[in-house]
PDB file of all heavy atoms in Angstrom:
ATOM      1  N   LEU A  87     -54.027  30.469   0.950  1.00  0.00           N
ATOM      2  CA  LEU A  87     -55.108  31.513   0.723  1.00  0.00           C
ATOM      3  C   LEU A  87     -55.899  31.076  -0.430  1.00  0.00           C
ATOM      4  O   LEU A  87     -57.184  31.174  -0.388  1.00  0.00           O
ATOM      5  CB  LEU A  87     -54.550  32.867   0.580  1.00  0.00           C
ATOM      6  CG  LEU A  87     -53.803  33.495   1.820  1.00  0.00           C
ATOM      7  CD1 LEU A  87     -53.141  34.790   1.408  1.00  0.00           C
ATOM      8  CD2 LEU A  87     -54.882  33.814   2.904  1.00  0.00           C
ATOM      9  N   ARG A  88     -55.210  30.565  -1.462  1.00  0.00           N
ATOM     10  CA  ARG A  88     -56.027  30.112  -2.666  1.00  0.00           C
ATOM     11  C   ARG A  88     -56.734  28.876  -2.361  1.00  0.00           C
ATOM     12  O   ARG A  88     -57.873  28.633  -2.862  1.00  0.00           O
ATOM     13  CB  ARG A  88     -55.103  29.943  -3.804  1.00  0.00           C
ATOM     14  CG  ARG A  88     -54.304  31.141  -4.270  1.00  0.00           C
ATOM     15  CD  ARG A  88     -53.740  31.203  -5.617  1.00  0.00           C
ATOM     16  NE  ARG A  88     -52.981  32.257  -6.055  1.00  0.00           N
ATOM     17  CZ  ARG A  88     -52.575  32.652  -7.178  1.00  0.00           C
ATOM     18  NH1 ARG A  88     -52.893  31.810  -8.226  1.00  0.00           N
ATOM     19  NH2 ARG A  88     -52.067  33.834  -7.303  1.00  0.00           N
ATOM     20  N   TRP A  89     -56.137  27.951  -1.622  1.00  0.00           N
ATOM     21  CA  TRP A  89     -56.941  26.819  -1.155  1.00  0.00           C
ATOM     22  C   TRP A  89     -58.009  27.005  -0.358  1.00  0.00           C
ATOM     23  O   TRP A  89     -59.254  26.491  -0.667  1.00  0.00           O
ATOM     24  CB  TRP A  89     -55.908  25.917  -0.372  1.00  0.00           C
ATOM     25  CG  TRP A  89     -56.503  24.744   0.408  1.00  0.00           C
ATOM     26  CD1 TRP A  89     -56.877  24.655   1.752  1.00  0.00           C
ATOM     27  CD2 TRP A  89     -56.844  23.486  -0.080  1.00  0.00           C
ATOM     28  NE1 TRP A  89     -57.452  23.566   2.059  1.00  0.00           N
ATOM     29  CE2 TRP A  89     -57.492  22.715   0.855  1.00  0.00           C
ATOM     30  CE3 TRP A  89     -56.750  22.800  -1.345  1.00  0.00           C
ATOM     31  CZ2 TRP A  89     -57.944  21.370   0.785  1.00  0.00           C
ATOM     32  CZ3 TRP A  89     -57.159  21.522  -1.548  1.00  0.00           C
ATOM     33  CH2 TRP A  89     -57.773  20.877  -0.575  1.00  0.00           C
ATOM     34  N   ALA A  90     -57.921  28.066   0.650  1.00  0.00           N
ATOM     35  CA  ALA A  90     -59.119  28.454   1.484  1.00  0.00           C
ATOM     36  C   ALA A  90     -60.260  29.131   0.658  1.00  0.00           C
ATOM     37  O   ALA A  90     -61.396  28.982   1.056  1.00  0.00           O
ATOM     38  CB  ALA A  90     -58.635  29.278   2.494  1.00  0.00           C
ATOM     39  N   GLU A  91     -59.858  29.766  -0.492  1.00  0.00           N
ATOM     40  CA  GLU A  91     -60.898  30.398  -1.211  1.00  0.00           C
ATOM     41  C   GLU A  91     -61.486  29.567  -2.155  1.00  0.00           C
ATOM     42  O   GLU A  91     -62.586  29.950  -2.827  1.00  0.00           O
ATOM     43  CB  GLU A  91     -60.207  31.580  -2.016  1.00  0.00           C
ATOM     44  CG  GLU A  91     -59.767  32.729  -1.140  1.00  0.00           C
ATOM     45  CD  GLU A  91     -58.860  33.748  -1.894  1.00  0.00           C
ATOM     46  OE1 GLU A  91     -58.533  33.470  -3.035  1.00  0.00           O
ATOM     47  OE2 GLU A  91     -58.432  34.757  -1.259  1.00  0.00           O
ATOM     48  N   ALA A  92     -61.036  28.325  -2.506  1.00  0.00           N
ATOM     49  CA  ALA A  92     -61.609  27.425  -3.495  1.00  0.00           C
ATOM     50  C   ALA A  92     -62.875  26.828  -2.850  1.00  0.00           C
ATOM     51  O   ALA A  92     -63.088  26.635  -1.754  1.00  0.00           O
ATOM     52  CB  ALA A  92     -60.561  26.295  -3.695  1.00  0.00           C
ATOM     53  N   ALA A  93     -63.767  26.644  -3.804  1.00  0.00           N
ATOM     54  CA  ALA A  93     -65.177  26.134  -3.441  1.00  0.00           C
ATOM     55  C   ALA A  93     -65.122  24.757  -2.829  1.00  0.00           C
ATOM     56  O   ALA A  93     -64.274  23.894  -3.419  1.00  0.00           O
ATOM     57  CB  ALA A  93     -66.034  26.090  -4.576  1.00  0.00           C
ATOM     58  N   PRO A  94     -65.609  24.426  -1.709  1.00  0.00           N
ATOM     59  CA  PRO A  94     -65.530  23.078  -1.137  1.00  0.00           C
ATOM     60  C   PRO A  94     -65.934  22.032  -2.142  1.00  0.00           C
ATOM     61  O   PRO A  94     -67.004  22.186  -2.874  1.00  0.00           O
ATOM     62  CB  PRO A  94     -66.402  23.090   0.147  1.00  0.00           C
ATOM     63  CG  PRO A  94     -66.526  24.666   0.504  1.00  0.00           C
ATOM     64  CD  PRO A  94     -66.492  25.188  -0.855  1.00  0.00           C
ATOM     65  N   GLY A  95     -65.170  21.001  -2.141  1.00  0.00           N
ATOM     66  CA  GLY A  95     -65.543  19.803  -3.089  1.00  0.00           C
ATOM     67  C   GLY A  95     -65.219  20.112  -4.601  1.00  0.00           C
ATOM     68  O   GLY A  95     -65.465  19.208  -5.395  1.00  0.00           O
ATOM     69  N   SER A  96     -64.752  21.157  -4.944  1.00  0.00           N
ATOM     70  CA  SER A  96     -64.359  21.492  -6.358  1.00  0.00           C
ATOM     71  C   SER A  96     -62.995  20.937  -6.688  1.00  0.00           C
ATOM     72  O   SER A  96     -62.663  20.979  -7.866  1.00  0.00           O
ATOM     73  CB  SER A  96     -64.354  23.064  -6.532  1.00  0.00           C
ATOM     74  OG  SER A  96     -63.374  23.652  -5.815  1.00  0.00           O
ATOM     75  N   ILE A  97     -62.212  20.525  -5.728  1.00  0.00           N
ATOM     76  CA  ILE A  97     -60.827  20.019  -5.991  1.00  0.00           C
ATOM     77  C   ILE A  97     -60.731  18.545  -5.812  1.00  0.00           C
ATOM     78  O   ILE A  97     -60.935  18.028  -4.683  1.00  0.00           O
ATOM     79  CB  ILE A  97     -59.740  20.719  -5.144  1.00  0.00           C
ATOM     80  CG1 ILE A  97     -59.904  22.181  -5.176  1.00  0.00           C
ATOM     81  CG2 ILE A  97     -58.375  20.199  -5.382  1.00  0.00           C
ATOM     82  CD1 ILE A  97     -58.952  22.941  -4.299  1.00  0.00           C
ATOM     83  N   ALA A  98     -60.677  17.782  -6.992  1.00  0.00           N
ATOM     84  CA  ALA A  98     -60.612  16.344  -6.859  1.00  0.00           C
ATOM     85  C   ALA A  98     -59.424  15.696  -6.412  1.00  0.00           C
ATOM     86  O   ALA A  98     -59.478  14.699  -5.689  1.00  0.00           O
ATOM     87  CB  ALA A  98     -60.922  15.723  -8.373  1.00  0.00           C
TER      88      ALA A  98
END
Side-chain angles (χ1 to χ4, degrees):
L87 291 174
R88 297 194 181 197
W89 167 263
E91 291 170 355
S96 64
I97 300 172

